[in-house]
Amino acid sequence: MSDESREPFKRLFFALDCAPAQRKAIAQWRSTLQLRSGRPVPAENFHLTLKFLGSVDAAQIAAICDAVMSVHASTERLTVVLDRLDVWRRAGVLVLAPEQAPPGLLRLVYDLEQALLPFGLEETSKEFRPHLTLARDYRAPAPESPTAPEFFLRADHFTLFESRKGRYHALARWPLRDQ
């Protein structure tokens, strides 16, 4: 048994994953920005967080998975257009975000929050701001981009991830309806 599997608490979050080709395209576009600040997020970690759970007792994971089983039934396949480069100064991150979040994405996040209320995980009062993090510890103005960002994140499922030693590991995934 590895040390990770014996840990009583796990750092968990729900997210929309990026396809490998899309990760590569975003990483290539990011390289054109010639960043002089921050730590680039590894392309294999690109995702759009739906709900951060924080440290969760490993014994709760099965119950959490059961609780979100019904969420996919009310959600359809999603397309999120990442078309805005932004710096979130307080968080110190450079992000790609949608100019406008699609209603289906907002509904999915709301349904997840409702399903997770009985667990008392993380505060739900935080406003959901969809984004894909490009760099952490970013302390400069938004860089000039030679080409405007326009990435279509298409999701037919959402995933429960564990953050472990700087890597994200998929623990479970649920299909979205109407694939």
Side-chain angles (χ1 to χ4, degrees):
M1 185 182 279
S2 73
D3 287 339
E4 286 102 8
S5 61
R6 287 193 303 244
E7 291 178 11
F9 289 90
K10 308 221 179 258
R11 286 183 56 80
L12 304 178
F13 63 93
F14 286 95
L16 300 179
D17 205 1
C18 286
Q22 187 157 52
R23 286 183 183 136
K24 183 178 180 182
I26 292 170
Q28 286 175 336
W29 178 82
R30 178 181 61 186
S31 71
T32 68
L33 301 176
Q34 300 177 353
L35 301 180
R36 292 177 181 17
S37 177
R39 293 179 296 118
V41 170
E44 63 267 16
N45 284 352
F46 286 164
H47 66 277
L48 190 144
T49 301
L50 301 170
K51 178 73 179 147
F52 180 72
L53 304 182
S55 290
V56 175
D57 187 327
Q60 287 187 296
I61 294 174
I64 288 169
C65 289
D66 287 344
V68 301
M69 286 295 288
S70 63
V71 169
H72 75 280
S74 64
T75 307
E76 56 205 31
R77 183 174 189 200
L78 292 170
T79 299
V80 181
V81 183
L82 300 172
D83 56 356
R84 187 168 49 100
L85 182 62
D86 201 3
V87 175
W88 293 358
R89 296 198 192 296
R90 181 173 286 185
V93 292
L94 178 68
V95 300
L96 271 176
E99 192 64 48
Q100 182 155 1
L105 176 64
L106 300 177
R107 188 171 43 255
L108 174 59
V109 170
Y110 176 80
D111 290 349
L112 273 172
E113 288 175 346
Q114 295 305 300
L116 296 168
L117 278 176
F119 298 95
L121 304 167
E122 281 296 302
E123 78 278 1
T124 55
S125 61
K126 249 184 165 177
E127 180 188 351
F128 173 66
R129 294 170 53 188
H131 67 282
L132 182 147
T133 303
L134 296 171
R136 299 190 184 288
D137 300 323
Y138 193 84
R139 305 286 177 215
E144 290 294 322
S145 171
T147 57
E150 189 175 54
F151 298 98
F152 295 85
L153 192 148
R154 291 181 176 88
D156 56 10
H157 67 276
F158 65 97
T159 305
L160 175 63
F161 285 97
E162 176 187 358
S163 175
R164 189 181 335 135
K165 296 181 180 177
R167 300 257 184 240
Y168 302 149
H169 304 272
L171 300 181
R173 65 185 241 181
W174 294 265
L176 299 175
R177 189 181 65 180
D178 298 337
Q179 297 180 42

